[in-house]
Each structure stands twice: as C-alpha cells, then as structure tokens.
Amino acid sequence: GKAEKRARLRELRSIAAELEELAHKASVQVERSRASRSKRPADLESLVECAGRLRTLPPIDLPLTPAGWPGTAMPAGFSLPFPTLQTEMPRALLQAAAMRAPPPSLEVIPCRDSTGAPLPNLWEVQ
C-alpha cells in the first residue's frame, strides 16, 4: 500500500538526484571541451617545455618563498623536493648507459708481412 509507494518515491527521488548530479558533471565537461577546442593547439616546443617543467621545476604559478619553498599548498601529484637537473641528470645518464650495447672487444696489433716481420706504422684491429 501506502508504505510501498513512499519507499518507491524515496528511491525515485534518490535516482533523480543522482541523475541531476551526472547531468551537471556532463554539462561541465561539455563546456570544458568546447573551451579547449577554441584554444590554439599546442606546438611541439611548448609541449616539450611543459613536460620538462613538470619533471624538473615547481608547479606552474606556484608562489615560492625567497628560500625556494612553496608559499601555498602543493597541487595534487607534486611533492618536495622538486626534482632538479642536478639530481635527475646522473640518473638519466646511468639509465641511458645501461640501455646501450656494450662496446666491442677489440685488440690493436702491428701488421706483419708474409714472413711474419712487423710492418712499420701499420696496425690491424682484431
């Protein structure tokens, strides 16, 4: 009877509230999408600069104290200390060296003629 109808009405109201929230989120996303499409596309140089900044510098527009510490709360995904070129470069060089093939094993010996005597100023790599 009546109790079942009230329970059903409460359920429908909660579903309507969820749908309203989803519709609001969707409209915000649509607006952001339109705004991003109207902006000038990023060129490669600005993308590389942004990627380098994310890796080696504090977040963009983060106010810093004179000592270099954040003046406000850090955005999500950033932590202290900021990665610096001085700390990251040695790791990058070691990683690049680790991925490179080892050098070939070579030996330089003097060239010899058919009798086995060394030839002057001629060398052979083996």
Side-chain angles (χ1 to χ4, degrees):
K2 244 182 178 180
E4 292 171 357
K5 287 181 181 180
R6 285 185 181 156
R8 181 76 176 146
L9 184 60
R10 275 194 299 271
E11 182 183 354
L12 290 174
R13 283 184 180 159
S14 72
I15 291 173
E18 287 180 41
L19 288 174
E20 187 176 328
E21 183 180 343
L22 287 173
H24 175 70
K25 286 181 180 180
S27 68
V28 168
Q29 290 297 330
V30 166
E31 197 58 40
R32 286 182 182 166
S33 175
R34 285 183 186 146
S36 69
R37 274 191 242 130
S38 68
K39 292 182 180 179
R40 180 179 64 89
D43 59 351
L44 181 60
E45 186 176 320
S46 63
L47 289 174
V48 169
E49 180 184 332
C50 182
R53 181 171 198 59
L54 289 175
R55 190 72 184 124
T56 60
L57 296 175
I60 296 172
D61 297 331
L62 179 72
L64 299 177
T65 66
W69 293 96
T72 61
M74 298 280 286
F78 287 92
S79 62
L80 289 174
F82 309 124
T84 63
L85 202 53
Q86 291 78 12
T87 59
E88 294 295 311
M89 188 56 75
R91 288 189 217 147
L93 292 174
L94 286 174
Q95 185 177 10
M99 294 171 61
R100 192 176 71 192
S105 177
L106 301 175
E107 184 179 354
V108 179
I109 57 171
C111 286
R112 301 193 178 272
D113 63 13
S114 59
T115 64
L119 296 171
N121 298 325
L122 290 176
W123 299 89
E124 181 181 2
V125 177
Q126 289 186 343

